[in-house]
Amino acid sequence: MKLPVEFEKKMKNLLGEDFAAYEQHLDDPAYYGIRVNTLKISVKEFLDICPFPMTPVPWTENGFYVRREDKPSKHPYYHAGLYYIQEPSAMAPAAYLPVVPGDRVLDLCAAPGGKSTELGSKLKGEGILVSNDVSISRTKALIRNLEMFGIRNSVILCTEAKHMVPSLTGFFDKILVDAPCSGEGMFRKGNNEIKNWEQKGSEPYARLQREIVDDAVKLLKPGGMMLYSTCTFSPEENEQVIEHLLTENEDLSLVSMKMCDGFDCGHPEWTLTGREDIKKCIRLWPHRIKGEGHFLALLQKAPGEETSFSGEKYPRVKLTRETEAFFKDCHMDIDWNRVQEFQGKLFYLKEEFPKLSGVRILRKGLFLGEMKKGRFEPSQPLAAALYPEEYDKYISFELEDERTIRYLKCETLNADVETEGIHLIGTGRFPLGWGKVKKGRIKNKYASSWRWM
């Protein structure tokens, strides 16, 4: 692989004798991984049913290396949201942010959702996850991935961090900033990454990163923790951004993280002031670990007086008769005082959340479905979020049953049940979507945008 001349000079300067090993790595096959969705299944349970060989990723408990040729995206378990396909190094940021159920969590640069899905899994349905990205086109993948994972307690925004500050200063217990960067760890993806680096280099990204983290710190509550990460090697975008943060915020300090084999610490000599606490950062170099590389820094804000927040109040939704009939069969615990209607569509967010102004809100809670004339259409996200015992009418196809794949392809199927009406369809104990049974046939209600291709 041919590197840009200036980048090669830079890496030789940073790596010294290690540069030869880095250069040799560039011609090695890329590593491929999946991360188990512990919101739906435990790691142990998944290992018992996993359809392909896996080996553990050392820096996360639910990450595994798999072979690309096993095509994990072409398996019903992927469509059931049991795992996310992710580059192994990219699993580290969400793994190292210590999220616990009940936290208020912000993923500030969230698309396409790999890290948000893990943060949502860690919350176990308690607390709130706010996933944000400035790119409206990229949020399409973010929304789908969060919905496929069955995450009920998410808010999805499309805005800049500075627009959140007036409403959410000091709101979040945990914040992940996987910052936009020059992508030096992604050069093996193709020529676009290299061309982007040749055109822009590191400095424009370093300026943007400093702006982002300056606003992110304002959103962090006293005593809260923030993890900063990039997939680039540039000190200007890594150690020096953290140096800037610590210099500008005396109430911030770095937190030590678990080191794994092959990990490197942060480099004080690459900062402007040589501060020794930079060693608490972590560097994942691609020639030392099985992954493309990453940078991590975990920071904590000092304890202090916390701001109180009042949640937005919703008018009580008037449900149609058909909607009430549907939810008699659905045993998901819903506080109807926390359900919001928008043009017939129902969204449920059980946690209180402040009213936002000047912020583009794409989703606020779980999309339950839509009240239409003479019927209620349950949503694909609701199906993905339910457990079989939470809906009375559940049709399960065996994994080997051809109807499983045919259902995912949105085909009409034969029904082996006498009860008509809306049924939850799944494979084993893992729901996939909805179907309407009538006269021995299942009219497929699986979302066409999720269809097996």
Side-chain angles (χ1 to χ4, degrees):
M1 177 180 176
K2 185 170 179 57
L3 296 170
V5 174
E6 289 303 314
F7 176 74
E8 185 172 325
K9 289 180 182 177
K10 177 180 178 179
M11 292 299 286
K12 283 180 177 178
N13 184 51
L14 292 178
L15 293 175
E17 293 180 355
D18 262 11
F19 178 77
Y22 166 75
E23 189 176 35
Q24 182 178 357
H25 135 84
L26 294 172
D27 293 322
D28 293 337
Y31 291 98
Y32 202 64
I34 64 169
R35 197 195 65 248
V36 177
N37 179 6
T38 54
L39 187 62
K40 292 194 172 190
I41 189 171
S42 71
V43 171
K44 183 180 183 301
E45 289 171 326
F46 185 74
L47 288 172
D48 289 339
I49 64 170
C50 182
F52 33 72
M54 306 191 303
T55 55
V57 173
W59 44 88
T60 179
E61 294 178 354
N62 57 329
F64 296 88
Y65 296 101
V66 297
R67 300 177 304 191
R68 187 183 297 270
E69 55 266 31
D70 287 326
K71 299 180 179 179
S73 65
K74 290 291 188 181
H75 195 281
Y77 287 161
Y78 171 75
H79 291 262
L82 298 194
Y83 54 83
Y84 186 90
I85 299 168
Q86 191 171 33
E87 192 278 311
S89 297
M91 299 178 189
Y96 273 74
L97 183 62
V99 169
V100 295
D103 276 345
R104 297 167 174 171
V105 181
L106 171 64
D107 187 356
L108 193 53
C109 311
K115 298 168 182 69
S116 268
T117 50
E118 173 64 0
L119 299 176
S121 297
K122 283 184 168 186
L123 285 174
K124 304 298 182 188
E126 302 295 329
I128 193 165
L129 170 66
V130 177
S131 299
N132 174 75
D133 204 274
V134 296
S135 168
I136 188 65
S137 61
R138 284 168 55 82
T139 56
K140 293 178 181 178
L142 172 63
I143 291 170
R144 178 186 170 179
N145 285 322
L146 286 171
E147 290 176 344
M148 186 177 285
F149 251 52
I151 294 170
R152 303 179 180 185
N153 53 333
S154 68
V155 174
I156 302 174
L157 308 178
C158 180
T159 189
E160 295 180 48
K162 63 184 178 183
H163 297 310
M164 297 185 207
V165 172
S167 304
L168 297 173
T169 293
F171 182 77
F172 294 100
D173 298 287
K174 309 285 166 58
I175 296 178
L176 176 61
V177 182
D178 187 49
C181 66
S182 58
E184 294 170 352
M186 297 290 107
F187 280 4
R188 296 204 298 173
K189 275 192 170 183
N191 290 329
N192 288 340
E193 282 73 16
I194 293 176
K195 287 179 181 178
N196 180 69
W197 189 92
E198 290 176 326
Q199 291 170 359
K200 297 181 180 179
S202 291
E203 185 50 37
Y205 290 100
R207 287 197 302 270
L208 176 60
Q209 290 152 0
R210 291 193 292 269
E211 292 174 7
I212 291 173
V213 295
D214 285 344
D215 288 323
V217 169
K218 298 171 187 175
L219 300 168
L220 188 65
K221 69 184 289 187
M225 303 181 80
M226 180 171 78
L227 191 136
Y228 174 85
S229 63
T230 73
C231 60
T232 200
F233 309 129
S234 163
E236 293 85 356
E237 300 176 64
N238 293 325
E239 283 91 347
Q240 290 179 27
V241 171
I242 301 305
E243 178 185 34
H244 161 81
L245 254 181
L246 295 170
T247 301
E248 296 296 318
N249 300 274
E250 293 184 355
D251 58 348
L252 280 184
S253 59
L254 280 163
V255 178
S256 297
M257 294 174 281
K258 182 186 78 171
M259 299 292 285
C260 297
D261 287 345
F263 280 18
D264 187 17
C265 60
H267 288 252
E269 69 274 18
W270 295 344
T271 65
L272 303 179
T273 59
R275 55 185 305 154
E276 285 296 307
D277 55 351
I278 289 293
K279 288 182 179 178
K280 293 181 180 179
C281 301
I282 288 178
R283 277 183 172 269
L284 283 69
W285 295 104
H287 57 286
R288 294 189 184 182
I289 54 106
K290 294 180 179 180
E292 298 300 302
H294 237 78
F295 175 87
L296 310 174
L298 182 61
L299 304 110
Q300 185 164 26
K301 185 180 278 190
E305 184 177 352
E306 297 182 14
T307 304
S308 60
F309 294 87
S310 57
E312 183 179 3
K313 303 300 181 185
Y314 308 141
R316 179 81 179 194
V317 175
K318 182 174 176 57
L319 301 180
T320 63
R321 183 183 61 186
E322 294 81 10
T323 304
E324 289 181 338
F326 172 84
F327 281 100
K328 284 181 180 178
D329 291 329
C330 182
H331 306 297
M332 176 180 167
D333 186 17
I334 298 175
D335 177 358
W336 288 98
N337 292 311
R338 302 293 308 157
V339 174
Q340 189 174 20
E341 178 190 357
F342 180 73
Q343 296 180 347
K345 295 181 178 180
L346 303 180
F347 297 87
Y348 175 49
L349 183 64
K350 75 172 185 177
E351 302 290 341
E352 291 201 346
F353 190 65
K355 183 176 177 61
L356 303 182
S357 58
V359 174
R360 189 173 189 177
I361 302 172
L362 304 181
R363 288 282 191 281
K364 189 187 287 186
L366 177 64
F367 176 33
L368 299 177
E370 187 171 1
M371 297 188 295
K372 295 185 175 183
K373 186 176 180 179
R375 70 186 193 279
F376 176 74
E377 291 280 353
S379 73
Q380 181 70 42
L382 176 61
L386 288 173
Y387 298 97
E389 60 270 19
E390 291 181 310
Y391 192 74
D392 286 340
K393 293 179 281 190
Y394 181 57
I395 298 174
S396 174
F397 297 130
E398 294 297 327
L399 198 61
E400 300 79 14
D401 191 325
E402 64 170 10
R403 290 176 295 181
T404 301
I405 304 299
R406 288 179 58 205
Y407 174 77
L408 292 170
K409 290 182 176 181
C410 296
E411 296 179 13
T412 298
L413 306 172
N414 291 325
D416 300 325
V417 293
E418 295 180 0
T419 307
E420 296 194 341
I422 295 293
H423 285 63
L424 187 61
I425 311 295
T427 179
R429 59 186 178 89
F430 307 112
L432 296 168
W434 300 104
K436 187 173 183 179
V437 177
K438 187 174 182 180
K439 295 181 179 179
R441 300 283 282 171
I442 301 176
K443 184 178 180 181
N444 201 315
K445 296 288 185 178
Y446 190 68
S448 59
S449 59
W450 293 26
R451 183 173 52 200
W452 180 294
M453 302 296 287

